[in-house]
């Protein structure tokens, strides 16, 4: 599928498959190179703005969140992705593994509920799966997704409890 997309968008070039200049190997390598070059050397520089998404941008603009010099990071379009852990590392620095563990527990809970109950849990799991899949193509994997999922899950739980108590 990846090669079909690259052929359809004319990004394959005329390089042999086993060449290090082949589009496929470069594409797979960019996240590792950019993670090493731009992310690992700047732990915690964004101070949570990626995690909070639009809320983080608002808090930054009114001065409640101070970030480091983010001009050292490449802009969107220069590289495909850092890796899905890049934003977590830029937000939390060396404590990114704690954030990843919390995310993993949330995702595991959603997955188990999806397997047991289906329904709305399937939709929640689909949101997460979409973000992971798209992270291979662009910078759309965001921790904000988990904040939205949490809010939606709380609303659904509250509404379903209220409707059950009325019946």
């Amino acid at each position: 599928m990846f090669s079909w997309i690259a052929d359809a968008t004319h990004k394959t070039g005329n390089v042999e498959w086993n060449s290090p200049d082949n589009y496929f190997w470069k594409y797979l390598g960019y996240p590792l190179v950019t993670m090493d070059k731009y992310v690992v050397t700047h732990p915690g520089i964004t101070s949570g703005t990626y995690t909070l998404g639009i809320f983080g941008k608002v808090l930054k603009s009114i001065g409640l969140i101070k970030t480091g010099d983010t001009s050292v990071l490449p802009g969107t379009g220069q590289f495909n992705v850092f890796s899905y852990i890049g934003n977590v590392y830029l937000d939390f620095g060396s404590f990114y593994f704690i954030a990843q563990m919390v995310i993993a527990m949330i995702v595991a809970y959603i997955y188990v509920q999806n397997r047991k109950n289906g329904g709305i849990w399937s939709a929640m799991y689909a949101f997460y799966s979409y973000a992971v899949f798209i992270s291979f193509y662009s910078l759309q994997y965001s921790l904000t997704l988990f904040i939205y999922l949490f809010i939606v899950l709380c609303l659904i739980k509250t509404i379903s409890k209220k409707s059950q108590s009325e019946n």
Side-chain angles (χ1 to χ4, degrees):
M1 182 175 162
F2 179 85
S3 292
W4 180 81
I5 292 170
D7 283 336
T9 57
H10 305 290
K11 301 217 173 161
T12 56
N14 294 326
V15 181
E16 295 294 321
W17 179 255
N18 59 355
S19 168
D21 291 328
N22 184 279
Y23 73 98
F24 188 71
W25 306 123
K26 284 184 175 183
Y27 185 84
L28 290 178
Y30 277 146
L32 300 175
V33 171
T34 57
M35 179 81 174
D36 187 48
K37 185 175 180 181
Y38 295 103
V39 176
V40 172
T41 54
H42 299 96
I45 193 172
T46 55
S47 302
T49 53
Y50 287 143
T51 302
L52 297 173
I54 190 70
F55 306 115
K57 288 179 183 178
V58 170
L59 293 174
K60 181 182 174 185
S61 69
I62 61 175
L64 291 177
I65 292 180
K66 303 276 189 248
T67 61
D69 183 13
T70 55
S71 67
V72 296
L73 303 175
T76 303
Q78 285 184 274
F79 298 97
N80 53 352
V81 289
F82 292 125
S83 137
Y84 78 97
I85 64 168
N87 289 344
V88 182
Y89 189 76
L90 287 170
D91 272 355
F92 300 108
S94 299
F95 296 104
Y96 78 96
F97 67 91
I98 294 172
Q100 288 292 72
M101 285 176 46
V102 170
I103 291 169
M105 289 188 297
I106 293 169
V107 171
Y109 179 75
I110 293 170
Y111 175 76
V112 168
Q113 293 303 316
N114 174 41
R115 297 285 293 178
K116 284 183 181 178
N117 304 319
I120 194 68
W121 295 103
S122 296
M124 295 298 141
Y125 193 67
F127 280 119
Y128 171 75
S129 301
Y130 164 80
V132 171
F133 180 73
I134 291 299
S135 72
F136 291 100
Y137 295 99
S138 68
L139 294 169
Q140 291 191 22
Y141 182 87
S142 169
L143 295 181
T144 309
L145 171 74
F146 294 100
I147 295 170
Y148 295 149
L149 283 178
F150 180 74
I151 292 169
V152 169
L153 287 174
C154 289
L155 287 172
I156 290 170
K157 288 268 191 194
T158 304
I159 291 169
S160 65
K161 283 183 182 179
K162 190 180 271 189
S163 66
Q164 286 176 359
S165 66
E166 290 175 357
N167 292 334

